[in-house]
Amino acid sequence: MRRVLILGGTAEARDLAARLSGVPGVHVVSSLAGRVTDPRLPAGDVRVGGFGGPDGLAAWLREHRIDRAVDATHPFAERMSASAAKASQLAGVPLLALRRPGWREGDGDGWRRVPSLGEAAAVLPDGARAFLTTGRRSIPVFAARTGVWFLARSVDPPEPPVPSNVCVLLSRGPYTVDGERALIREHRLDVLVTKDSGGAMTRAKLTAAREARLPVIMVDRPPVPGGVETTSDVAAAARWAQG
């Protein structure tokens, strides 16, 4: 029996779990961080919660006799990816990073790429009405810009108190271009702040921003830890996991 651990609850992680769960001789376990209420559960066995850092993850890999691990976490889950890379070395378990491709700027787009959330907050002009789609944990970084009003979209509520210049919109993708157009009009938004997460589920906001001629502040994703093999192809990841 080949035992495979999939880290992450992304669409790619669920796709990979579905491909592997029906393969004879393969036992797949998906690990979710537990930060999202009512997550979409993948096929196969599921565990929820942290491991206690790279040492804890390495111990778990050994205890459960994992043969191969796939880091299919969100492209911005930098700490978990670093922990997975270290744990794979400690436990001697091969690791593959499964990453969806990032977004690319096209004709009519007006993007400004920045290296961090802090830089994204710093470059916002005073008086802006910003569509903030960088996750609830990033809200404190931006709320310090008291001269900017934010529509912050999030799957789960942020930790209180919510600053007065932030309006929270609780919503889960996928989103449509029509829906994003309506948000831009209704809230008179004039700039989009987002992370280069990639994928089709939340791309509609970029199309709507292009049509409305909204500038986009795009936070670049962190690199995959050095020495870790990487693919953007779920089918290739499934073949790799089967050895």
Side-chain angles (χ1 to χ4, degrees):
M1 179 67 68
R2 177 170 290 274
R3 300 176 186 275
V4 179
L5 173 66
I6 301 173
L7 298 166
T10 59
E12 292 77 20
R14 295 194 302 271
D15 188 358
L16 179 60
R19 290 171 185 260
L20 293 176
S21 63
V23 177
V26 175
H27 178 76
V28 60
V29 179
S30 295
S31 178
L32 309 182
R35 294 175 180 170
V36 176
T37 303
D38 192 26
R40 298 186 178 101
L41 296 179
D45 290 346
V46 179
R47 70 173 301 280
V48 178
F51 293 93
D55 291 334
L57 176 52
W60 193 95
L61 292 171
R62 296 189 196 100
E63 178 185 353
H64 294 269
R65 305 191 307 279
I66 299 299
D67 296 294
R68 296 203 165 190
V70 179
D71 173 12
T73 56
H74 190 276
F76 282 82
E78 188 172 8
R79 182 178 298 179
M80 186 64 239
S81 292
S83 183
K86 181 63 175 177
S88 74
Q89 295 175 355
L90 292 172
V93 175
L95 175 70
L96 177 72
L98 175 59
R99 292 286 186 274
R100 71 187 72 147
W103 289 316
R104 293 185 178 181
E105 190 172 4
D107 292 340
D109 288 324
W111 294 5
R112 178 172 180 175
R113 287 191 173 271
V114 294
S116 67
L117 293 170
E119 180 70 14
V123 300
L124 281 167
D126 286 334
R129 296 180 63 84
F131 188 12
L132 184 62
T133 64
T134 53
R136 62 190 171 100
R137 294 175 181 271
S138 72
I139 288 177
V141 177
F142 292 91
R145 292 295 312 276
T146 55
V148 179
W149 184 86
F150 296 96
L151 177 67
R153 184 162 63 192
S154 173
V155 174
D156 292 316
E159 293 292 330
V162 177
S164 59
N165 62 328
V166 177
C167 175
V168 176
L169 173 64
L170 298 181
S171 181
R172 186 195 297 266
Y175 304 104
T176 66
V177 176
D178 284 344
E180 304 293 56
R181 288 191 193 111
L183 282 179
I184 291 172
R185 289 194 302 268
E186 177 184 353
H187 297 279
R188 296 177 286 115
L189 302 171
D190 52 27
V191 61
L192 169 64
V193 184
T194 191
K195 298 188 293 190
D196 188 9
S197 302
M201 184 175 289
T202 60
R203 187 182 180 88
K205 61 192 172 188
L206 298 174
T207 302
R210 180 194 308 131
E211 293 178 354
R213 298 186 181 279
L214 263 62
V216 175
I217 300 173
M218 181 73 69
V219 181
D220 284 330
R221 58 175 62 177
V224 174
V228 177
E229 185 179 351
T230 306
T231 185
S232 60
D233 186 345
V234 177
R239 292 192 297 270
W240 179 91
Q242 296 173 65

